[in-house]
Amino acid sequence: QGAGVTGANVDPRFVKLVQGTYNLAGGDSGIPATDTLVTTAVVGSTRSDGGKTGIEALDDPTIDVSIALAPGPGVGDIQNVQNALITVAERTTDFLAALSPPYAIGRTQDAIDWSNGFATQRTAAINSSYAAIYWPWVKVFQVFDGKDRFLDPAIFGVRQMAVTDSVAFPWFAPAGFVRGRLTKPTEVEVILNQGDRDSLYSGGNAINPIVNFPQNGIAIFGQRTSQRQPTALDRINI
């Protein structure tokens, strides 16, 4: 916020970066201290002057967004943030929301329970053609600090959608050993066998598994939306 108008704060619709050299020592990261404050900031609102903040700002015809995510930890694994992202996606019909269970949720059944609203971290099922769920988390080497870190799998779900658009067409499935193969991750949080994959992806469940195959490497092995009703809209490429 600035003081461009005497006696009033100016909260611009779009923030413009101003060239210059700035001392960031002792600065604030801007990340609120509690989940409640994080949710308030990330979800955002519509102001009295019509301006929008946070996720609500995606409800704007001048913003060309086709896929959106708020990856965790600490943001995208908060139920109210995920719900807000899905709500805006459904209201605008403009984009697909990519989600995932929290890191260290547990084993396969724990991830399924989470998606169905039977977990401490989630008390309502995700059931929308405008959302897709990925799991488990994947380990990636971070060049900036030289450490391996587990990253939100929704990041790679979105990445492979973009790769598919680049090497094929949007109506091709962003999954499998060709378009769904992940080259950056070196490890998955949970090893999934055939039974695990079937449980995640069928029987009314809708989680896209990320699998480490001994011969073929790590790949996204599903392309379902979170819609439970079996129609064309239960698939991402549609």
Side-chain angles (χ1 to χ4, degrees):
Q1 292 184 331
V5 179
T6 302
N9 286 330
V10 176
D11 192 1
R13 183 178 180 194
F14 299 110
V15 177
K16 179 180 179 181
L17 298 179
V18 179
Q19 183 175 352
T21 302
Y22 305 94
N23 182 9
L24 302 181
D28 188 340
S29 68
I31 301 175
T34 68
D35 283 359
T36 300
L37 294 175
V38 168
T39 300
T40 300
V42 175
V43 172
S45 63
T46 300
R47 301 193 307 264
S48 58
D49 63 357
K52 299 177 180 180
T53 63
I55 290 172
E56 284 296 324
L58 297 176
D59 188 355
D60 188 322
T62 66
I63 300 177
D64 186 15
V65 174
S66 57
I67 310 168
L69 71 161
V75 178
D77 47 6
I78 299 174
Q79 177 175 240
N80 289 341
V81 171
Q82 295 171 336
N83 291 348
L85 193 62
I86 296 171
T87 297
V88 175
E90 291 179 335
R91 184 171 72 229
T92 62
T93 69
D94 283 340
F95 63 88
L96 179 76
L99 313 169
S100 64
Y103 176 66
I105 188 69
R107 307 299 300 178
T108 297
Q109 189 58 51
D110 298 307
I112 292 171
D113 288 345
W114 174 88
S115 69
N116 291 326
F118 299 116
T120 302
Q121 303 92 330
R122 170 159 283 280
T123 57
I126 300 174
N127 185 353
S128 173
S129 64
Y130 287 94
I133 307 170
Y134 292 88
W135 186 78
W137 288 48
V138 292
K139 182 184 285 187
V140 179
F141 179 74
Q142 302 290 281
V143 177
F144 73 91
D145 62 359
K147 295 181 179 180
D148 287 317
R149 298 182 186 278
F150 277 101
L151 300 184
D152 191 319
I155 297 169
F156 293 90
V158 169
R159 179 186 187 275
Q160 295 315 117
M161 293 179 206
V163 167
T164 298
D165 286 1
S166 176
V167 303
F169 297 96
W171 56 85
F172 279 53
F177 293 131
V178 178
R179 294 179 301 277
R181 188 163 179 267
L182 306 183
T183 56
K184 294 295 184 182
T186 57
E187 187 179 328
V188 292
E189 178 194 1
V190 178
I191 300 295
L192 303 177
N193 58 32
Q194 180 68 58
D196 293 326
R197 302 197 298 270
D198 290 345
S199 297
L200 291 165
Y201 202 67
S202 60
N205 298 317
I207 298 178
N208 297 305
I210 297 181
V211 187
N212 191 354
F213 293 94
Q215 277 79 38
N216 297 290
I218 298 175
I220 297 173
F221 226 59
Q223 64 125 3
R224 287 199 56 176
T225 67
S226 63
Q227 176 180 289
R228 310 310 174 93
Q229 183 180 3
T231 72
L233 296 179
D234 70 1
R235 294 185 294 281
I236 290 172
N237 66 324
I238 302 299

